Amino acid sequence: MKRLGLLLACCLMTTSAYAKAPMTYSIQTPGPHQALKDHALYEVKVTCSRGQSLTSNDNILDAIADFVLHHNESANQYIVIGNDLAVPDPSDAKKIKLPEKAISILPVFSIKDTSVVSNFGACSRSIYVQGTQKIYLIPTVSWSSQYTPGPGLTALYQASKLISPLWSIFNPAAIPAAIASKITNAQATEDPIKSILTTMNKDANYGETVRLRTGRYIITTKYSKITLDVSPLPSIVMAASDDLRRDFRAALDSAPQKIATTGFETTCGQIATVLTGAGFSEKEDIPYALTYLSANALNTKEDMIKCLGKPYAARAARLSGPVLWQWINETKRFSETEANTVWPPNSVEPPLQPAFSTIEDTIDALVRSLSRVTKNRDADGKALPQYVNELKATMAPTIAVVDKTSEALFDGLPPQDASTLGDTMLKRSYARFGCYAEVTDKFGTNTDGARVLFVMFKVAKDAPSPVTLDKASGVRVLFGTGGLVSQLVVTDRQQAIRAALDANTWNCNGLAVTKPPAS
């Protein structure tokens, strides 16, 4: 009896002295493999099947020898996919500690004695990832006391089914929180995954980390065969699977915040920018997402079209009914014609312009030089060369003068160089210039994107102060290559002219302007 007790003590002592994995596995990586591209989406298609030591009804044919040393534990297999590597377990370098976060956890099977609980059906699924971050495969086998056959293991299998295959694409690590809250609720999935990994790390885990690239990976044990195929995903919306579009809508539906009904254009633009950076298709996925989100938040289809902007509105309208429009309330469905009415396809976006602080010295020199060119003439009435040269230094070799006034004095002019520009102003009786100001909301509509406007006056060069407002015209200044003036836009819009005069207290380089009484 004493000898038997010693034998049992030997066999049931701490298993760390006999630490080894419950089973061996192999990883095959038949090529070719290519690195994942930044700002691109990929499908990881996982196929799980029984190995040769399991029958079709999950009876075990080849028992695990070490169960006598692990009589309270089960032998489990998992597939973990994430952005972080597994690390050696400090207590035993043969073991690993799983990362705190993951994209997906796929339980494959659990064996206790000769009892098998398999998860092959649910394990076979597709997961979608961004190429922006490194993606790792961690094939794991473990001795588990946490997830043995019973309620705990059942809960793990159910939890793994609830992880959306798309959730990692909306991961807050890649999407700013302020925008993420309006397009999904990734935190709701991230927290359960963290909890599962924390529990798994209480067990003895064995495995390695493999960097995923495009191509095939095959993981084989006596009891299972797991195949992973990694391939580019050009578009979520146009994928063959209806399930993928349903998951996409579910992710959008989970957003805790809706797009606000005021100032929505900015928010919609931010969402489009973020989704582009995450790798979503600009042709289909982003128009789909913006349409779906705006339909649930905004009141009219006109607002929806404004939210999508150009060209997303027209692209959304071209998506088929079964793909998108059956999910949108009929009163908010819009056609491509309606999208093009709000956003005309041939309209030109305003050119980008330098900041006012960058061009202030140039505009100051332009206004001063125009005054000198028109005031200082030789005996033949020609501008003095030194002042023409000053004006040349502020502008392109020739510039366009665009007339947007009712009087049309500057309509149809050919391109102007510095000399002809001064002559043009004098021929139309404009000889005083000043009161330049930065264009703000006070100036009204800014369709050409100009950052500065000055005022010119249809008066003689020696006209006394004050002059009346009806003598004033506004000139919007556009800049081109090299920070030089490329275009002058003449306007008679009173709001813009008054705003420039207000900014200069109604005094333009010594010429006072009578301010009309407030109406």
Side-chain angles (χ1 to χ4, degrees):
M1 181 66 76
K2 184 176 181 180
R3 185 177 300 173
L4 179 60
L6 290 172
L7 179 62
L8 289 174
C10 171
C11 294
L12 298 179
M13 65 188 295
T14 176
T15 59
S16 62
Y18 304 92
K20 65 177 182 177
M23 67 199 80
T24 59
Y25 65 86
S26 65
I27 302 179
Q28 296 173 281
T29 57
H33 296 278
Q34 293 182 337
L36 305 186
K37 295 180 179 179
D38 194 12
H39 302 302
L41 302 184
Y42 293 86
E43 177 184 13
V44 182
K45 185 176 181 180
V46 184
T47 305
C48 304
S49 59
R50 292 173 176 80
Q52 58 184 342
S53 291
L54 282 181
T55 65
S56 60
N57 58 356
D58 283 346
N59 287 324
I60 191 166
L61 298 178
D62 190 0
I64 295 174
D66 279 351
F67 268 128
V68 67
L69 298 176
H70 298 268
H71 59 286
N72 291 322
E73 298 172 309
S74 62
N76 292 357
Q77 183 185 15
Y78 312 103
I79 300 297
V80 178
I81 297 173
N83 302 122
D84 300 309
L85 296 80
V87 297
D89 188 329
S91 68
D92 186 341
K94 297 177 183 178
K95 303 176 187 175
I96 61 169
K97 284 292 183 184
L98 297 168
E100 294 181 352
K101 298 183 293 183
I103 291 171
S104 190
I105 303 167
L106 300 176
V108 182
F109 64 77
S110 178
I111 299 175
K112 181 70 170 69
D113 298 324
T114 58
S115 173
V116 181
V117 180
S118 70
N119 195 45
F120 296 119
C123 172
S124 297
R125 62 187 309 189
S126 287
I127 302 159
Y128 302 92
V129 298
Q130 298 176 16
T132 302
Q133 296 177 299
K134 295 177 181 177
I135 308 297
Y136 297 105
L137 164 67
I138 308 175
T140 307
V141 294
S142 74
W143 288 114
S144 178
S145 60
Q146 304 296 320
Y147 291 124
T148 59
L153 183 66
T154 301
L156 171 63
Y157 284 5
Q158 290 300 318
S160 68
K161 293 178 184 178
L162 296 176
I163 299 173
S164 167
L166 282 174
W167 91 267
S168 73
I169 297 176
F170 295 100
N171 193 316
I175 295 180
I179 299 302
S181 63
K182 295 178 176 62
I183 58 177
T184 191
N185 187 13
Q187 190 68 31
T189 296
E190 185 177 32
D191 288 345
I193 289 180
K194 286 182 178 180
S195 177
I196 292 169
L197 289 167
T198 298
T199 302
M200 289 172 65
N201 271 329
K202 296 176 182 178
D203 291 325
N205 298 304
Y206 300 83
E208 59 187 287
T209 302
V210 178
R211 175 84 175 271
L212 281 183
R213 294 173 169 81
T214 61
R216 173 165 288 189
Y217 301 80
I218 303 171
I219 304 162
T220 306
T221 74
K222 292 189 297 183
Y223 310 101
S224 64
K225 180 180 179 181
I226 314 298
T227 303
L228 293 88
D229 290 293
V230 184
S231 59
L233 180 69
S235 168
I236 288 174
V237 168
M238 301 310 292
S241 171
D242 285 334
D243 291 342
L244 189 53
R245 284 187 289 275
R246 183 176 61 247
D247 288 335
F248 193 29
R249 290 191 299 273
L252 299 173
D253 282 333
S254 71
Q257 296 181 24
K258 286 188 175 183
I259 298 172
T261 55
T262 57
F264 57 82
E265 291 98 334
T266 299
T267 301
C268 294
Q270 291 171 338
I271 290 172
T273 299
V274 165
L275 293 179
T276 300
F280 288 89
S281 159
E282 291 189 274
K283 186 177 179 181
E284 296 103 2
D285 296 345
I286 296 174
Y288 187 105
L290 287 174
T291 302
Y292 192 80
L293 290 168
S294 63
N296 291 325
L298 303 179
N299 296 322
T300 67
K301 59 184 177 182
E302 181 179 358
D303 282 348
M304 290 173 59
I305 294 171
K306 289 179 179 178
C307 166
L308 271 79
K310 178 185 177 183
Y312 291 135
R315 292 174 182 173
R318 288 194 286 267
L319 292 173
S320 70
V323 168
L324 170 62
W325 293 104
Q326 66 171 317
W327 309 106
I328 306 301
N329 185 285
E330 189 172 354
T331 62
K332 295 182 179 179
R333 298 173 188 170
F334 58 83
S335 65
E336 187 172 357
T337 299
E338 290 172 315
N340 288 337
T341 300
V342 177
W343 295 105
N346 295 325
S347 62
V348 178
E349 295 293 325
L352 294 176
Q353 290 292 289
F356 177 74
S357 59
T358 303
I359 57 177
E360 187 172 6
D361 287 346
T362 303
I363 195 68
D364 185 79
L366 172 74
V367 171
R368 181 176 61 252
S369 300
L370 270 175
S371 297
R372 289 176 173 179
V373 163
T374 54
K375 283 184 178 181
N376 299 285
R377 297 271 157 167
D378 64 16
D380 296 326
K382 294 183 179 180
L384 299 182
Q386 64 266 36
Y387 299 128
V388 173
N389 289 335
E390 284 183 6
L391 186 57
K392 279 183 179 180
T394 67
M395 54 186 278
T398 61
I399 66 171
V401 178
V402 178
D403 192 305
K404 292 193 175 181
T405 69
S406 57
E407 202 171 357
L409 286 178
F410 295 88
D411 199 31
L413 289 175
Q416 305 281 296
D417 61 21
S419 181
T420 56
L421 180 62
D423 294 341
T424 295
M425 293 298 178
L426 279 180
K427 285 177 183 178
R428 287 155 181 78
S429 301
Y430 285 90
R432 299 293 292 270
F433 308 86
C435 282
Y436 67 82
E438 181 179 7
V439 173
T440 65
D441 291 343
K442 295 179 180 179
F443 285 66
T445 305
N446 188 13
T447 55
D448 52 26
R451 296 295 178 89
V452 64
L453 177 145
F454 69 86
V455 182
M456 63 182 185
F457 296 90
K458 196 174 184 180
V459 296
K461 62 181 180 180
D462 54 358
S465 294
V467 298
T468 54
L469 183 60
D470 64 315
K471 301 295 184 182
S473 293
V475 183
R476 304 166 70 85
V477 185
L478 295 175
F479 287 76
T481 304
L484 298 175
V485 174
S486 62
Q487 187 176 132
L488 301 179
V489 181
V490 184
T491 178
D492 54 9
R493 288 175 61 90
Q494 290 297 297
Q495 181 179 356
I497 296 169
R498 284 171 178 258
L501 292 170
D502 282 340
N504 289 274
T505 63
W506 292 72
N507 191 300
C508 303
N509 291 345
L511 182 66
V513 184
T514 301
K515 185 175 183 178
S519 56

